[in-house]
Amino acid sequence: VRSCIMVWLMLLAMVFDRSYDPPTALGFAVLVMLLVNPMAVTSVSLQLSVACVAGIFLFNGRINSWLKIKFRVKKGIASRLRGVFCSSISVTLSAMTLVTPLSAFYFGTVSLIGVMANILTLWMVNLIFNGLIIVCVVYLLSPAISIMLAWVLSWLIRYVLVTAKLLAKFPLAAVYTRSIYIVFWLIFVYVLLAVFAA
């Protein structure tokens, strides 16, 4: 619901030739949701969704710029691939900045394999979503062709699922906050983040 409201605001901004401000759109989406149901503020899924997007808005630009300097991203195909790699890492890290404390609090676990998982699957998830739209549109014209396209798309979905299962088997793919050492480690990481962000 949050993302749909934000997309509608983006589309309205395009239709009426207005500028789209993502943080304002996020605030408006949350306001609308809370006006409809004030108890939505207690929803873990809403908190995670808002934290994820807010983290991206707050940190993605700086992390991405820093990574592009470190990986010497300029012009050319190889450099462009490094840029995509940097963007994938920066989006993941910035989303995790505010989601990780919530995950630790609500679920007692912190993913350490998230960055690797996103590098291996995020680009594929984008293809899957676009493929699903194409399959739905093609179905209106030819159900038989859409079934063939859906079969091809199912292999992309299998890739994501298999990758997630394999990564979950790695030792220390996730750590649990019942250990005091993990809690101290998380505090130390957020102190470093505060220094980096300052």
Side-chain angles (χ1 to χ4, degrees):
V1 174
R2 189 263 322 146
S3 61
C4 286
I5 294 172
M6 291 182 71
V7 167
W8 273 104
L9 289 173
M10 183 175 64
L11 293 174
L12 285 172
M14 290 168 63
V15 167
F16 292 106
D17 196 27
R18 300 283 186 224
S19 62
Y20 174 74
D21 182 49
T24 303
L26 175 62
F28 180 79
V30 173
L31 177 65
V32 168
M33 292 175 72
L34 294 178
L35 286 174
V36 172
N37 178 13
M39 292 307 294
V41 75
T42 62
S43 167
V44 176
S45 61
L46 176 62
Q47 292 175 26
L48 290 170
S49 175
V50 171
C52 176
V53 175
I56 292 170
F57 291 160
L58 288 170
F59 301 109
N60 184 48
R62 282 185 280 183
I63 294 172
N64 197 19
S65 297
W66 183 79
L67 286 171
K68 284 183 175 177
I69 290 169
K70 290 294 179 188
F71 283 94
R72 296 186 178 103
V73 175
K74 295 177 183 171
K75 293 182 179 178
I77 295 173
S79 187
R80 204 174 294 172
L81 288 174
R82 287 196 304 268
V84 170
F85 177 75
C86 291
S87 295
S88 181
I89 291 175
S90 68
V91 167
T92 302
L93 289 175
S94 57
M96 288 175 65
T97 53
L98 300 181
V99 169
T100 298
L102 292 173
S103 177
F105 179 75
Y106 286 117
F107 308 115
T109 183
V110 174
S111 170
L112 299 182
I113 203 91
V115 175
M116 180 60 69
N118 276 0
I119 290 171
L120 294 174
T121 62
L122 196 58
W123 58 276
M124 184 64 77
V125 171
N126 191 21
L127 290 175
I128 290 168
F129 275 112
N130 290 325
L132 289 171
I133 293 170
I134 292 169
V135 166
C136 291
V137 171
V138 170
Y139 182 81
L140 298 173
L141 304 172
S142 171
I145 294 174
S146 72
I147 289 171
M148 289 187 294
L149 291 174
W151 180 82
V152 171
L153 196 61
S154 72
W155 287 100
L156 304 182
I157 295 169
R158 285 185 182 98
Y159 165 80
V160 172
L161 295 175
V162 167
T163 303
K165 285 181 184 175
L166 290 174
L167 289 174
K169 292 180 182 178
F170 274 78
L172 293 175
V175 292
Y176 300 94
T177 56
R178 60 179 172 253
S179 167
I180 193 69
Y181 301 109
I182 298 299
V183 174
F184 284 139
W185 171 75
L186 276 174
I187 292 168
F188 177 70
V189 166
Y190 276 87
V191 167
L192 289 179
L193 179 65
V195 169
F196 177 77

